[in-house]
Amino acid sequence: MTHAAVAAPGARFKKLLRDKDDPSSPRLSPLWTFVAWLATLAFFAPVAWMVLTSFHKEADAATNPPTPFAPLTFDQYKLLFSRDITPFLLNSAMASVISTLLVLVLAVPTAYALSIKPVEKWTDVMFFFLSTKFLPAIAALLPVYLIVKDVGMLDNVWTLIVLYTAMNLPIAVWMMRSFLAEVPKEILEAAEVDGANLFTVLWRVVAPIAMPGLAATSLICFIFSWNEFMFAVNLTATQASTAPVFLVGFITNEGLFLARLCAAATLVSLPVLIAGFAAQDKLVRGLSLGAVK
Amino acid sequence: MTTLTAPPKTAPPPAGHRSPSGVSKWRRRIPLLPALIFTIVVTQLPFVATLVISTFQWNILRPGDRHFTGLSNYAFVFTDERLRAAVLNTVVLTASVVLISVLLGLGLAMLLDRRFIGRGLARTLLIAPFLVMPVAASLLWKHAIYNPDYGLLNGTLNAVYRLFGASNGPTVDWISSYPMPAVVVSLVWQWTPFMMLILLAGLQSQPGDVLEAARMDGAGAMATFRYITLPHLRQYLELGILLGTIYVVQTFDAVYTITQGGPGSQTTNLPYEIYLTMFRKYEYGQAAAAGVVVVLGSIVIATFALRTIASLFREEVSR
């Protein structure tokens, strides 16, 4: 009863508290706390090992038994940059950032037309977008490859940009719609009655509510583009290859340098790790296309 | 959250209030068009092309010999042993990865739903596997963990054996001895955090007063879980399973890097087999036909997925 009384206005705030340390949420017993931490460390161990090895010398990396306390060095990272990982990172950055921007440019008006002033049969449109996401990319690879080859766009970052935009657009439309749907209709109507024009309504009412959603959407699109491998490895050669292609190529070309591999793996994962850690709460909603709050 | 406090549905606005004339209807659709046209061009046209190519005998190693062949590529797809093995591998791989990561994710989500020391940090560390670039993760597992000579797995076994006085631990070549489990484990590691995040969101959306009431009524932890939490989580479980399936079915990175489909074709899944047909055997017609079959298979999965998402979605729309 007491809960219900305060739930309505403070629900958001209460949820935040629950994430942190709501005293009413039950505590884990010491035994289970131990289990939870054990599981956490087991899952984190490969990441920790990757980062640790990346700061080791090659001779200390490939040992049996492992030598976690070997001296640390930045050598592997220096070597990576002197061996030209930079163009690959730039290609990745260009493909991810531009495709994310394009996705936003296309998705925001669409989401607006599907939520704030919904067109007829808007749910059908939503499900059309989503259905494209369920088609396996591998089945599109061949025709895409042939078309791209015909128009001379193989090994071109813009090819990846177009494909990544198409790949992420459905997710972005769904996410943005779920965020825009939270704009209270009453406020919009009130603003219209007061004679505010479309631009003012968008800027003053919609934008502040939709901004966090826009950030979350960008994050998800960025992650998927940054990590994409199949199109990148099959449609690029020397000029336009992205970071994941660098990783794979670098193994086959140079034999195995474990410490340097770990450094490269850490380096290319870093942008997504940082962004993901920073926006953990938004991640859930994005990954579930806005279906889970 | 859905029904108790919902206000009665307001009556629809009187007819003529909005009078959607032809012009204004189109004006409303304009913001929609760029994205719609772009999506149709970039995603639907390739599938039409795939359909067309799938009816051709087309191997680029025999350039003069491209001709219409009807459905013979499909006959090949359905009778080829490699492809049948690839279908089976895809099912095994997808089912085991999704089921194991849902169960582990559920366990972790239950733990992280409670308060304990360092919960925030534990959650942050737990989602890391999902954020590591998939190709980087695959290479990490292949070289730094599974490697028979100096991988972390054998290295740790070795260290433990020495601790107990043995001179050497076993040297297991994990990838050749257990190829499918090796791929599954690396993918479970990547996907468990995803399941955990979705299920944790589900757990935290449980109304606290219901749980409290259950406790007051003397329900044990098991009973509470069985009769209250699990039904509440059902939609989240379905969503996790279906989204997971959609993504894991398409697994390419892990197979490409960890096993290259081998040994033999023991870990070749459909995407990788299609890739081989296309870029190793250069059988474009066969690859296209296999692609069409995969699309048909995905449509079956997607129909269930869309239904689940639609039910979540309807709840929201009706709110």
Side-chain angles (χ1 to χ4, degrees):
Chain A
M1 194 56 234
T2 47
H3 281 300
V6 291
R12 253 181 96 93
F13 186 60
K14 189 154 174 290
K15 190 156 183 315
L16 278 176
L17 271 180
R18 245 177 85 100
D19 279 348
K20 296 281 186 292
D21 244 342
D22 176 8
S24 77
S25 128
R27 247 183 186 290
L28 211 55
S29 72
L31 176 68
W32 284 109
T33 303
F34 178 71
V35 172
W37 266 105
L38 206 64
T40 304
L41 294 178
F43 267 90
F44 191 67
V47 181
W49 188 245
M50 171 178 86
V51 176
L52 185 64
T53 308
S54 78
F55 289 109
H56 280 168
K57 288 192 191 312
E58 224 39 89
D60 298 325
T63 58
N64 184 349
T67 44
F69 302 111
L72 303 178
T73 163
F74 271 105
D75 286 2
Q76 308 306 337
Y77 289 94
K78 280 184 213 150
L79 266 169
L80 275 178
F81 283 105
S82 72
R83 296 271 174 113
D84 279 344
I85 195 178
T86 318
F88 295 89
L89 291 175
L90 287 178
N91 283 336
S92 269
M94 186 174 162
S96 316
V97 172
I98 298 182
S99 75
T100 300
L101 290 177
L102 281 177
V103 165
L104 294 182
V105 167
L106 290 169
V108 171
T110 308
Y112 177 84
L114 293 175
S115 60
I116 291 182
K117 297 257 176 182
V119 297
E120 288 165 48
K121 306 217 167 167
W122 60 277
T123 49
D124 292 350
V125 180
M126 292 278 292
F127 282 106
F128 165 73
F129 275 113
L130 195 56
S131 69
T132 66
K133 198 58 214 156
F134 291 153
L135 297 171
I138 187 77
L141 180 58
L142 178 64
V144 165
Y145 173 78
L146 293 172
I147 296 165
V148 166
K149 199 170 89 174
D150 264 5
V151 297
M153 292 283 281
L154 277 182
D155 204 11
N156 188 321
V157 181
W158 284 95
T159 303
L160 295 182
I161 290 173
V162 170
L163 291 173
Y164 294 171
T165 305
M167 171 178 93
N168 288 326
L169 189 54
I171 304 177
V173 167
W174 270 74
M175 283 182 72
M176 279 316 297
R177 196 215 64 92
S178 99
F179 283 109
L180 289 183
E182 280 180 2
V183 180
K185 287 265 183 311
E186 302 79 44
I187 301 186
L188 285 175
E189 274 159 23
E192 266 173 33
V193 170
D194 289 348
N197 63 26
L198 181 64
F199 182 78
T200 317
V201 172
L202 286 180
W203 192 245
R204 287 283 165 79
V205 182
V206 178
I209 299 177
M211 257 334 148
L214 204 70
T217 309
S218 320
L219 172 72
I220 295 287
C221 295
F222 175 81
I223 291 180
F224 280 124
S225 311
W226 182 268
N227 286 347
E228 203 281 335
F229 174 63
M230 193 190 67
F231 284 123
V233 75
N234 287 309
L235 301 176
T236 67
T238 52
Q239 299 299 310
S241 292
T242 52
V245 184
F246 170 83
L247 269 185
V248 168
F250 145 100
I251 291 295
T252 49
N253 292 340
E254 302 191 31
L256 183 57
F257 295 93
L258 193 61
R260 208 180 312 157
L261 166 65
C262 286
T266 306
L267 193 64
V268 299
S269 302
L270 207 57
V272 171
L273 276 168
I274 293 172
F277 285 157
Q280 301 181 28
D281 301 330
K282 300 276 181 287
L283 213 57
V284 187
R285 194 158 166 184
L287 292 170
S288 60
L289 307 167
V292 169
K293 310 264 145 61
Chain B
M1 166 173 250
T2 43
T3 49
L4 282 178
T5 54
K9 278 255 153 70
T10 47
H17 173 65
R18 270 194 180 159
S19 69
S21 68
V23 177
S24 84
K25 242 194 218 172
W26 273 103
R27 198 172 292 155
R28 275 192 183 191
R29 283 180 196 155
I30 287 172
L32 199 65
L33 293 179
L36 208 51
I37 294 168
F38 179 82
T39 304
I40 290 171
V41 169
V42 182
T43 68
Q44 307 298 296
L45 290 188
F47 283 102
V48 177
T50 312
L51 273 176
V52 174
I53 299 168
S54 74
T55 62
F56 278 85
Q57 166 67 47
W58 184 2
N59 185 320
I60 57 160
L61 299 180
R62 297 190 300 277
D65 187 32
R66 180 167 73 172
H67 59 85
F68 180 74
T69 178
L71 295 179
S72 72
N73 286 323
Y74 290 92
F76 175 83
V77 165
F78 282 111
T79 53
D80 183 47
E81 240 170 71
R82 280 189 63 94
L83 272 167
R84 223 176 303 154
V87 171
L88 192 67
N89 286 337
T90 310
V91 173
V92 170
L93 181 75
T94 310
S96 35
V97 170
V98 171
L99 286 181
I100 299 172
S101 54
V102 163
L103 289 178
L104 286 176
L106 178 61
L108 289 171
M110 300 279 296
L111 291 175
L112 264 76
D113 189 39
R114 302 287 180 95
R115 283 186 307 148
F116 64 89
I117 297 164
R119 174 169 74 168
L121 179 63
R123 189 176 103 149
T124 304
L125 296 182
L126 266 173
I127 61 176
F130 191 73
L131 299 173
V132 170
M133 177 185 283
V135 169
S138 306
L139 289 168
L140 178 74
W141 279 87
K142 181 184 166 97
H143 296 292
I145 297 178
Y146 291 142
N147 184 294
D149 297 323
Y150 44 76
L152 190 58
L153 217 48
N154 281 352
T156 309
L157 280 179
N158 195 9
V160 171
Y161 269 66
R162 283 190 188 179
L163 208 64
F164 289 99
S167 62
N168 249 341
T171 303
V172 185
D173 188 347
W174 297 97
I175 295 176
S176 11
S177 311
Y178 310 101
M180 187 56 96
V183 177
V184 168
V185 167
S186 77
L187 287 171
V188 164
W189 176 77
Q190 281 231 291
W191 285 97
T192 299
F194 170 77
M195 301 299 179
M196 183 202 76
L197 283 174
I198 288 188
L199 294 174
L200 189 58
L203 285 174
Q204 299 198 330
S205 71
Q206 275 193 122
D209 40 355
V210 174
L211 292 175
E212 209 168 293
R215 211 179 314 143
M216 295 280 210
D217 291 347
M222 278 310 285
T224 312
F225 178 74
R226 168 77 185 75
Y227 294 106
I228 298 177
T229 305
L230 214 52
H232 172 81
L233 275 189
R234 201 185 128 186
Q235 283 186 320
Y236 295 89
L237 283 166
E238 284 174 351
L239 187 75
I241 289 172
L242 290 161
L243 289 176
T245 306
I246 297 299
Y247 282 108
V248 178
V249 159
Q250 303 204 30
T251 299
F252 180 76
D253 320 28
V255 175
Y256 182 99
T257 38
I258 298 180
T259 62
Q260 284 88 46
S265 54
Q266 283 185 49
T267 53
T268 305
N269 67 347
L270 269 172
Y272 192 69
E273 176 65 24
I274 295 175
Y275 160 82
L276 289 179
T277 314
M278 214 181 304
F279 289 107
R280 293 288 182 275
K281 301 198 309 193
Y282 303 107
E283 289 285 359
Y284 285 2
Q286 288 174 12
V292 172
V293 174
V294 173
V295 170
L296 294 180
S298 312
I299 288 174
V300 176
I301 304 176
T303 311
F304 288 105
L306 288 175
R307 204 169 297 162
T308 306
I309 292 173
S311 74
L312 281 168
F313 184 57
R314 216 167 294 127
E315 230 170 60
E316 183 201 326
V317 169
S318 68
R319 197 145 55 205

